[in-house]
Amino acid sequence: MQRLEVIGSNKLKGNIKISGSKNSSLPILAATLLSRKKIILHNLPKVNDIDTMISLLESLGSKTKFKNNNLIINNQNQKKKFASYSLVKTMRAGILVLGPLLAKFGSAKVSLPGGCAIGTRPIDIHLKAFSKIGVKYKIQQGYVHAVAPKGLQGNKINFSKISVGATENLIIATSFAKGTSILSNIAIEPEIIDLINFLNKMGCKIRWIAKRKLKIIGVTKLKEINYSVMPDRIEAGTYLIAAAITEGNIKIKNIDPNIIKTEINVLKKIGIQIKKNKNEIQIVGSKKIKNVNIKTAPYPGFPTDLQAQMMVLLCKANRVSEIKEDIFENRFMHVSELNRMGAKISIKGNKAIVQGNTNFAAAELMATDLRASVSLVLAALSAKGKSIINRIYHLDRGYENIEKKLKKVGAKIRRIN
Ligand code: EPZ
């Protein structure tokens, strides 16, 4: 089992280039199943979740070639419609192949995602919406058996709750349904905009008719496509916080500051100097960090995927902060490990009360999920001495070359087998 050794606490200085977005790549990869034409994707991050999704596409019959962040996909003979538990259990976004498989074949058998450290990850919103467009389904032995006897029929869908995955699944499916669909109360994360741009470039007809409302006219023909995936805003936010917590001075390159406005405003509010340029952000950490209260929310609110990282920074604030996790039911797994490093964080329901003025002490640590594991790296960067972080396969799911990028800006970090 690999581990990370981190020796804090250097000030990080220099440039970090942001990789492609994992959470934009995954729905776009699923959507490639709609097409039988040649597809070339650029800027895919080399992370385990992408490898898992590519293996899932291969298991369905896609032919792929993945080299230097570029992927060529050939679906000419793709005809399988069974997505196995072995692949979907490690990467819940596997459920996103349900939409395209139903659109293309009118039936599919896809493993239920199952739970993970941060929550049960239900798909009731996905399934309710599918039944509105002519899909009949039953859940048997951990699989969704879905069929659309008359093919997918366009319809009005009003999501009862904002769900990124359900929005993505239904945008893909209704792009190939017969007739027109209106999707209301959709999630509007930048990754969804990227998916829509990808689908429209491939020949789909998806139009915005209100802030959280789409009109989608079903199509049957698609074009060959060459598409570059957007940069990863959560990776960018993570490195902004790394600079802040080490009182460093970092330029984050290859990120549009407009898609992380909320995060930047919070960092400015707690006293961090930030200079935004067209496609990069300059951040200078400071000794004095002011406390702030945060609650996670769907975009453009504060992202749940940065909650753990921001919590580490707020441990250094001058006073107590409150963090409310309103998206997932169990996303405080990092708290006990941070408390072992000297943090003073207590949990009341979905609220974490974070005492300030913490000097993190180096320790041996255990990662539990993707974003919790990177929060331990941030705390270790700030702690004097050597920390060891175990189970870093969680980290490798979503952060490309994290040691290389951090080493380049002065962090003492290495992977040990
Ligand atoms: C996506 O997950 C992201 N994953 C998550 O990032 C992110 O945290 C989440 O959106 C919220 O922004 C990918 O994009 C691959 P949801 P998703 O459907 O689609 C509940 C990371 O660290 N819900 O918006 O699963 C659900 O349980 C990952 O990169 C239902 O109740 O998120 C959760 O409490 C973690 N029924 C809330 O809604 C459903 O049918 C938001 O889930 C679907 C969701």
Side-chain angles (χ1 to χ4, degrees):
M1 195 91 89
Q2 293 190 332
R3 304 180 297 165
L4 272 186
E5 177 191 277
V6 181
I7 301 175
S9 58
N10 299 19
K11 293 181 190 303
L12 302 184
K13 288 192 178 1
N15 297 342
I16 293 183
K17 187 172 176 303
I18 298 303
S19 301
S21 162
K22 164 180 89 78
N23 288 352
S24 173
S25 304
L26 292 171
I28 285 177
L29 283 166
T32 61
L33 286 167
L34 286 176
S35 172
R36 291 218 181 275
K37 299 274 174 55
K38 186 173 175 187
I39 297 173
I40 302 179
L41 297 177
H42 304 281
N43 200 34
L44 287 180
K46 189 83 189 85
V47 295
N48 292 352
D49 270 10
I50 301 303
D51 291 339
T52 306
M53 181 59 100
I54 292 173
S55 309
L56 179 53
L57 295 183
E58 288 268 342
S59 75
L60 292 165
S62 298
K63 294 283 166 261
T64 67
K65 219 160 61 207
F66 191 23
K67 199 159 166 274
N68 309 331
N69 302 98
N70 301 318
L71 179 75
I72 301 172
I73 300 181
N74 175 344
N75 280 335
Q76 258 154 7
N77 303 319
Q78 188 279 322
K79 42 181 166 297
K80 293 191 196 123
K81 37 197 187 177
F82 167 68
S84 77
Y85 174 66
S86 60
L87 285 161
V88 176
K89 74 174 185 309
T90 54
M91 200 257 318
R92 262 128 326 255
I95 193 65
L96 293 176
V97 302
L98 183 57
L101 290 174
L102 281 168
K104 197 169 175 181
F105 299 112
S107 71
K109 180 181 168 190
V110 176
S111 168
L112 283 169
C116 69
I118 64 176
T120 51
R121 312 305 288 272
I123 57 164
D124 54 311
I125 303 173
H126 299 237
L127 296 174
K128 193 159 157 264
F130 277 123
S131 38
K132 297 277 289 185
I133 56 172
V135 175
K136 306 251 176 292
Y137 66 86
K138 59 179 186 310
I139 309 279
Q140 245 172 7
Q141 287 143 345
Y143 281 84
V144 181
H145 299 253
V147 66
K150 300 198 190 78
L152 298 184
Q153 318 288 325
N155 199 349
K156 283 193 172 56
I157 296 171
N158 184 11
F159 289 104
S160 57
K161 175 176 172 190
I162 291 176
S163 158
V164 171
T167 299
E168 291 164 343
N169 232 337
L170 273 295
I171 287 175
I172 298 169
T174 52
S175 293
F176 245 47
K178 284 189 203 76
T180 300
S181 301
I182 305 286
L183 271 54
S184 309
N185 198 30
I186 64 165
I188 53 172
E189 271 63 5
E191 294 75 27
I192 287 172
I193 318 293
D194 211 23
L195 172 66
I196 292 170
N197 293 341
F198 168 75
L199 288 168
N200 280 340
K201 191 171 176 194
M202 221 169 33
C204 294
K205 292 198 177 79
I206 305 167
R207 303 287 175 266
W208 292 94
I209 47 180
K211 184 176 175 226
R212 288 186 185 274
K213 203 168 182 174
L214 293 173
K215 177 179 178 185
I216 302 179
I217 300 167
V219 298
T220 52
K221 273 208 182 38
L222 295 174
K223 298 180 257 189
E224 278 201 8
I225 185 168
N226 213 318
Y227 191 80
S228 188
V229 161
M230 67 175 277
D232 193 314
R233 64 189 167 104
I234 304 300
E235 184 196 17
T238 302
Y239 289 124
L240 284 173
I241 293 172
I245 200 157
T246 60
E247 299 167 34
N249 182 339
I250 287 194
K251 185 179 278 186
I252 308 279
K253 299 176 84 73
N254 191 32
I255 183 73
D256 171 4
N258 291 320
I259 64 169
I260 51 172
K261 260 201 282 253
T262 305
E263 299 87 318
I264 289 175
N265 291 341
V266 168
L267 287 168
K268 283 185 172 168
K269 213 168 144 192
I270 61 181
I272 308 293
Q273 287 166 47
I274 291 195
K275 199 164 153 303
K276 297 186 287 190
N277 301 321
K278 190 165 170 313
N279 206 22
E280 59 187 35
I281 300 169
Q282 182 81 37
I283 174 163
V284 181
S286 76
K287 244 189 183 4
K288 275 185 87 257
I289 290 176
K290 292 194 223 63
N291 61 325
V292 67
N293 294 338
I294 286 176
K295 74 179 172 62
T296 61
Y299 194 87
F302 190 88
T304 173
D305 292 349
L306 267 183
Q307 176 257 104
Q309 300 91 313
M310 187 53 83
M311 185 183 285
V312 178
L313 183 56
L314 291 175
C315 288
K316 309 287 287 180
N318 56 352
R319 285 198 188 79
V320 66
S321 305
E322 271 188 14
I323 298 182
K324 219 165 157 255
E325 173 53 60
D326 272 344
I327 304 285
F328 286 105
E329 66 266 33
N330 184 34
R331 204 167 194 176
F332 287 140
M333 304 285 281
H334 40 288
V335 168
S336 48
E337 291 300 277
L338 293 175
N339 284 343
R340 290 184 57 247
M341 297 179 80
K344 295 174 274 320
I345 308 164
S346 55
I347 297 174
K348 285 196 179 60
N350 69 338
K351 209 186 276 180
I353 293 94
V354 183
Q355 300 301 331
N357 305 306
T358 294
N359 289 316
F360 286 111
E364 177 148 9
L365 304 157
M366 178 89 78
T368 50
D369 60 271
L370 170 58
R371 307 301 173 181
S373 48
V374 84
S375 75
L376 301 182
V377 174
L378 296 176
L381 287 170
S382 154
K384 285 203 176 354
K386 185 194 290 187
S387 298
I388 299 282
I389 300 165
N390 295 295
R391 295 196 182 171
I392 53 169
Y393 55 85
H394 291 291
L395 201 56
D396 294 336
R397 292 188 46 195
Y399 285 92
E400 185 179 53
N401 298 330
I402 183 163
E403 308 99 274
K404 217 163 105 200
K405 292 187 179 189
L406 284 171
K407 230 181 262 176
K408 194 166 152 278
V409 291
K412 288 204 188 100
I413 180 169
R414 71 187 177 104
R415 189 174 286 247
I416 34 183
N417 287 320

